[in-house]
Every structure is written in C-alpha cells, then in structure tokens.
Amino acid sequence: MARVLIAIPNDDFDPTETAVPWKVLRAAKHEVVFATQDGLPGECDYRLITGKGFGLLKPLLMANRDACFAYAAMAQSAEFRNPIEWKTVLRQDFDGLLLPGGHAFGVQPYLESQDLQQKTAEMFAANKPVAAICHGVLVAARALGPDGESLLYQRRTTALPKSMELSAWAATCLWLGDYYRTYPKTVEDEVTDVLAQVTQFDAGPRSLRRDSASDLSPGFTVRDRNWLSARWPGDAHRFAHEFVAMLGEQRGH
C-alpha cells in the first residue's frame, strides 16, 4: 500500500479531477492524505456540481453523474474531512503526489504555493510518482529544480490546452466574466514557456468525449518517467488508473 498526497486548494478545486483519482486510489487500497492551505476541508467549485450559470452548456461543462457520486463519497471520507496543512507536507514522507486542477479564482493560492512547489521538487528529486491534471500542472511548471529551471524543462507534458480554455471562456464570458480565465496567460502558454522545446507539449486529440470507469479510451495522458499529466476532467479515469500503475511500479522495485 502506498501513501499518496493529494494537495488541493481551500476553494474551487475541480470535483472530478479530485474525486475520481481518490476513488481509484482507495479501490487499489492505497492510503490517501489530503492537504489544504489551513488544514480545513476544502470546498470544491460547486458550479461544476450544480451546473448553475452554465445554461445550455450545462451537460458539457459540469461534472457528470459518476463524478458527482464520487465527489459525494469523497466529501464524507475521513481523509478528506481531516486534511493536513500545506506546510506540514514538507515534514512528511509520501510515496506519490497528485495535483488536481480547478480554474475559478480560488485556486490561485494553491497554484502559487511555494510549499507545494518545494514538495513537488522533492518528489521529483526522489524519483517518486508525481501526477497533475489541468491547472495542477502549473504547480510543477512553477517549481524549480537544482539547475534553476522548471521541473518540466526537460519533460514531455500535457495540461489544459489553449483551445479548450479559450473556448470555454468565449462561450461563457458574457455572463460569467473571466470564470474560465484563471490568469491572463493561458495554462498552455505558461507551461510551454518553461519547456526546453515547445514540441515537448502535447495538447492531445481535439475531442470533448469524457472517459469513464468502463471506458478509459477517450482519456489522454502524457507520461515522462515519474511525471504523469492530463488535460481536463474528461481524462480523469485514465489519469487515475495510470497513476495507480506508476505507484505499483515504484513499490515493485
């Protein structure tokens, strides 16, 4: 059994990108430890659960039925209700690190946390599995290695593609403002800026099909050694299963 850290923001984390991996990790009998900024249970972006404000785009933008059920179960779990603080992670040992995303403004302290960036760098240095999805990739992109470059400088990766981010923003900005623009610079642009070559970034197929527990094929991930990345909630099941496989490889050594 591996001990896995899932770091999340106090507010606005994506329920699918957090709950689906949690469910898969627990089914594989791994121990999950959650961490938030202040050690209090995090609050997800409830718009993604309720669909409020999405109008006709509700079926496309909100979490699907399976993700909502997974989130409801996770929210009642002992580990979710008793997280540790981000600062505490620096004093504890973990076998793997998972960094979910979220795009509403409440995720900014999480994406900018030097404690989490330091822990991510520590996990990279120890060659332990690190996985991030969507905006969570920014934590690793902003973390620096011993050479002063981003941890992703020599890695292949994906993250939320510019096409997805700008399309969601354009479709909702008239009534939701910059809800889908966490920062002026897109996630893809920020990530590619820290890579040695732009070609290291893979945006994946142009499809809005979501994967599921019974069909992982629509999901898309990029793995480079101990680093695993995915793009959006539609990749969450494949992302979670591949992370569990990485944990198994590590413990098999």
Side-chain angles (χ1 to χ4, degrees):
M1 181 178 71
R3 186 167 185 256
V4 177
L5 174 66
I6 299 181
I8 57 174
N10 277 33
D11 301 292
D12 290 337
F13 66 85
D14 187 289
T16 303
E17 295 170 2
T18 307
V20 168
W22 167 82
K23 182 178 180 179
V24 174
L25 285 164
R26 297 299 292 134
K29 308 301 183 184
H30 294 305
E31 176 188 359
V32 174
V33 177
F34 283 94
T36 61
Q37 185 172 13
D38 55 11
L40 296 175
E43 298 283 348
C44 79
D45 180 352
Y46 283 104
R47 190 187 301 275
L48 298 176
I49 294 291
T50 65
K52 184 178 180 180
F54 287 150
L56 296 176
L57 297 174
K58 182 176 178 179
L60 177 64
L61 298 178
M62 71 176 288
N64 63 21
R65 181 183 176 90
D66 289 345
C68 288
F69 279 132
Y71 172 74
M74 181 188 75
Q76 296 302 314
S77 69
E79 56 266 33
F80 183 82
R81 296 174 67 87
N82 296 278
I84 62 176
E85 296 181 24
W86 291 342
K87 289 185 178 297
T88 304
V89 306
L90 298 174
R91 304 192 298 271
Q92 297 195 20
D93 190 39
F94 299 94
D95 299 304
L97 169 63
L98 194 145
L99 300 165
H103 56 266
F105 293 128
V107 304
Q108 289 181 344
Y110 160 74
L111 300 177
E112 298 165 8
S113 169
Q114 293 187 359
D115 292 323
L116 295 182
Q117 292 172 25
Q118 184 177 339
K119 189 64 179 182
T120 304
E122 176 187 306
M123 300 291 283
F124 264 69
N127 200 36
K128 294 182 178 181
V130 179
I133 181 170
C134 199
H135 282 64
V137 174
L138 291 177
V139 178
R142 293 170 174 178
L144 303 181
D147 59 359
E149 299 284 1
S150 166
L151 296 176
L152 302 185
Y153 182 67
Q154 295 286 359
R155 305 270 176 160
R156 294 173 49 253
T157 191
T158 191
L160 179 66
K162 184 189 305 187
S163 59
M164 285 187 177
E165 184 172 356
L166 295 182
S167 294
W169 171 77
T172 61
C173 63
L174 288 179
W175 63 93
L176 294 182
D178 284 338
Y179 170 69
Y180 271 103
R181 293 298 304 277
T182 313
Y183 296 101
K185 182 180 287 189
T186 66
V187 173
E188 179 178 337
D189 284 340
E190 182 168 347
V191 172
T192 55
D193 280 351
V194 302
L195 303 179
Q197 302 288 335
V198 174
T199 53
Q200 292 165 223
F201 186 90
D202 190 342
R206 285 182 172 270
S207 171
L208 295 179
R209 288 184 61 213
R210 295 185 181 227
D211 63 15
S212 65
S214 60
D215 184 7
L216 304 183
S217 63
F220 177 78
T221 62
V222 173
R223 179 176 175 183
D224 189 331
R225 291 161 282 175
N226 67 319
W227 168 246
L228 179 70
S229 55
R231 306 166 301 167
W232 72 305
D235 299 328
H237 289 86
R238 178 172 178 174
F239 171 72
H241 282 279
E242 292 190 2
F243 184 56
V244 166
M246 291 171 67
L247 292 168
E249 291 172 13
Q250 182 199 41
R251 298 187 70 79
H253 289 324

